[in-house]
Amino acid sequence: MIDFFIKVKQQEAQHLPFVIFKKPNKKKLVGFFQKNDHLYFAENFKEKGFVFAPFEGSQMILIPKAESVKWETRMPLYEASFNSGIDKINEEDLAQKAHFEALVQKGIDAIHQGVFNKVVLSREEIVALPNFDLVKVFKKLIENYPSAFCYCWFHPKIGLWMGATPERLLKANKNRFYTMALAGTKIGDDPENVEWNPKEMEEQQIVTDFILENLKNIASEVAISSPYTLKAGSLLHIITDIEGVINNHSNLNQVVEVLHPTPAVCGLPKNVAKDFILRNEGYDRSYYTGFLGELNIKEFDKHRTKSDLYVNLRCMQVKDQEAHLYIGCGITKDSNPEKEWKESVNKAQTMKKVL
């Protein structure tokens, strides 16, 4: 463990690209440490390495397996320990609140006008970080969010990103794949005793229906689970598991194109909702609500390759001694702007509590 984080510090000091991560409910830490500072890209999903893709655009950055050293280590036992969090409301926060509520109302109005059925709207919040230590923050992420995909990703030509996301975009072994439909958010720590209201259930069903409809031409043997509740830190989400087989005439790239961006981070119809987001949010999402993960990495014990990709939620970008937090909410016809603001504040605590 000590050697693993010494390697991270060395890589950071040398301004060389790397990614370290822990998968949901796993005890293993994995790192890919690139041996040069070149900017590589994934173009056809046949590459091998770790991919980092944006919400909008084709700049899918790759830390190639062939150009990297892979390290693995087991996590020691930790006790979860949060800071108190940064949650004081000041004048700037109140201005953010007014702006976000106006944005949400604009989205609700568009839904009532028949422009789209759902849109996911987000905001950026900036927090000062005068004494940021990426190893300390990453350790808090993995301590406090055991059921999330926790990561720290760095490239000197792009920047530093960290997150603890509850949503898997896609897992694939050869031609068999698994994905999920995720929507709805509540504060809580008891997934067995939570009640979801009709707005939240509708939002989740919209996501599920979209995925099933768009997979039918490129996949077969598609099966789904009943909706259930997933705990991610102090938040609860509704999940439906979806799996199937990629058809012989289709490929992994096509499945990713169907899923990304998911309705859980964009909306439906996807292209119309995405256009609304780009025109109205007022900031560049960049790699927030993009995706990241292993691409065609060989499993040593099973002698086959796999891809394991996650949606980049509950994340932040660290630059110039500041953390840029990104928080989004799913908007439907029954949404309430003030409640959506409160939900975004709750979601922001995921990152604030580890700073």
Side-chain angles (χ1 to χ4, degrees):
M1 170 61 73
I2 295 175
D3 289 344
F4 183 88
F5 286 116
I6 288 175
K7 177 63 175 176
V8 172
K9 286 288 192 181
Q10 290 174 341
Q11 198 83 355
E12 180 188 22
Q14 295 170 14
H15 299 287
L16 291 175
F18 69 89
V19 62
I20 54 176
F21 59 91
K22 181 202 71 70
K23 292 186 179 182
N25 303 309
K26 301 296 183 182
K27 298 297 183 182
K28 183 169 67 175
L29 299 180
V30 181
F32 287 89
F33 301 95
Q34 193 171 306
K35 293 177 282 188
N36 57 56
D37 66 355
H38 188 72
L39 203 55
Y40 297 96
F41 298 96
E43 297 177 354
N44 56 22
F45 282 77
K46 295 181 180 179
E47 300 89 353
K48 296 180 180 180
F50 192 98
V51 65
F52 195 59
F55 170 70
E56 165 70 359
S58 58
Q59 194 178 47
M60 296 185 291
I61 300 167
L62 185 75
I63 295 181
K65 183 176 180 294
E67 301 295 335
S68 305
V69 176
K70 183 179 181 182
W71 283 42
E72 296 182 355
T73 190
R74 284 189 63 81
M75 285 175 53
L77 293 176
Y78 286 123
E79 287 189 8
S81 60
F82 282 132
N83 288 340
S84 59
I86 307 165
D87 54 8
K88 182 181 177 182
I89 299 293
N90 55 33
E91 290 183 5
E92 184 178 358
D93 294 322
L94 294 175
Q96 276 192 38
K97 180 177 185 290
H99 173 79
F100 187 68
E101 288 182 359
L103 175 65
V104 170
Q105 187 60 57
K106 193 171 184 179
I108 295 170
D109 292 342
I111 292 171
H112 286 298
Q113 293 163 10
V115 177
F116 37 64
N117 299 320
K118 171 189 174 180
V119 65
V120 180
L121 299 174
S122 69
R123 64 183 179 90
E124 178 186 35
E125 187 172 335
I126 300 174
V127 175
L129 285 183
N131 300 302
F132 175 73
D133 184 315
L134 76 85
V135 168
K136 288 182 180 178
V137 173
F138 181 73
K139 284 181 177 179
K140 286 184 178 179
L141 279 179
I142 61 176
E143 290 163 20
N144 292 289
Y145 298 104
S147 62
F149 178 83
C150 300
Y151 78 93
C152 175
W153 183 97
F154 172 74
H155 196 294
K157 298 174 182 177
I158 301 297
L160 175 68
W161 287 75
M162 305 183 76
T165 175
E167 183 174 359
R168 177 180 261 131
L169 178 72
L170 174 75
K171 183 176 183 178
N173 283 313
K174 293 187 177 179
N175 65 339
R176 178 164 288 279
F177 70 90
Y178 160 82
T179 186
M180 64 167 62
L182 177 148
T185 301
K186 282 185 183 293
I187 301 175
D189 57 8
D190 186 359
E192 302 299 325
N193 294 290
V194 59
E195 292 185 8
W196 297 99
N197 64 41
K199 181 261 183 186
E200 293 157 334
M201 295 299 295
E202 177 193 26
E203 184 183 346
Q204 207 277 337
Q205 191 60 50
I206 287 172
V207 175
T208 302
D209 291 345
F210 168 83
I211 293 174
L212 294 176
E213 175 65 22
N214 286 272
L215 285 175
K216 66 182 184 181
N217 293 326
I218 59 175
S220 58
E221 301 178 34
V222 177
I224 67 171
S225 72
S226 298
Y228 63 94
T229 301
L230 173 74
K231 181 177 181 293
S234 59
L235 299 177
L236 302 173
H237 305 282
I238 314 172
I239 299 283
T240 298
D241 294 321
I242 303 171
E243 60 181 314
V245 176
I246 302 172
N247 294 338
N248 292 333
H249 62 272
S250 303
N251 55 49
L252 181 63
N253 195 12
Q254 289 174 287
V255 178
V256 172
E257 286 180 355
V258 164
L259 297 176
H260 173 69
T262 72
V265 302
C266 184
L268 284 174
K270 183 162 67 173
N271 291 338
V272 180
K274 187 175 181 181
D275 181 63
F276 182 90
I277 289 166
L278 296 174
R279 286 188 291 106
N280 290 283
E281 277 191 338
Y283 81 101
D284 180 10
R285 286 191 180 189
S286 185
Y287 291 89
Y288 165 61
T289 62
F291 63 87
L292 71 163
E294 295 170 294
L295 191 61
N296 300 315
I297 298 298
K298 178 175 286 189
E299 294 181 282
F300 295 105
D301 54 339
K302 297 179 181 177
H303 303 289
R304 61 185 181 185
T305 60
K306 68 175 182 181
S307 297
D308 201 2
L309 308 176
Y310 293 80
V311 182
N312 196 18
L313 300 174
R314 311 293 192 276
C315 66
M316 63 181 174
Q317 182 181 19
V318 179
K319 58 182 177 181
D320 302 324
Q321 294 189 315
E322 292 179 331
H324 294 247
L325 313 180
Y326 303 98
I327 319 104
C329 298
I331 309 304
T332 67
K333 67 182 189 298
D334 297 319
S335 292
N336 175 285
E338 186 173 3
K339 288 182 179 179
E340 298 300 340
W341 164 258
K342 290 178 180 177
E343 180 177 320
S344 79
V345 171
N346 293 333
K347 287 180 176 178
Q349 293 306 309
T350 300
M351 291 293 102
K352 287 183 179 181
K353 285 180 177 178
V354 299
L355 295 177

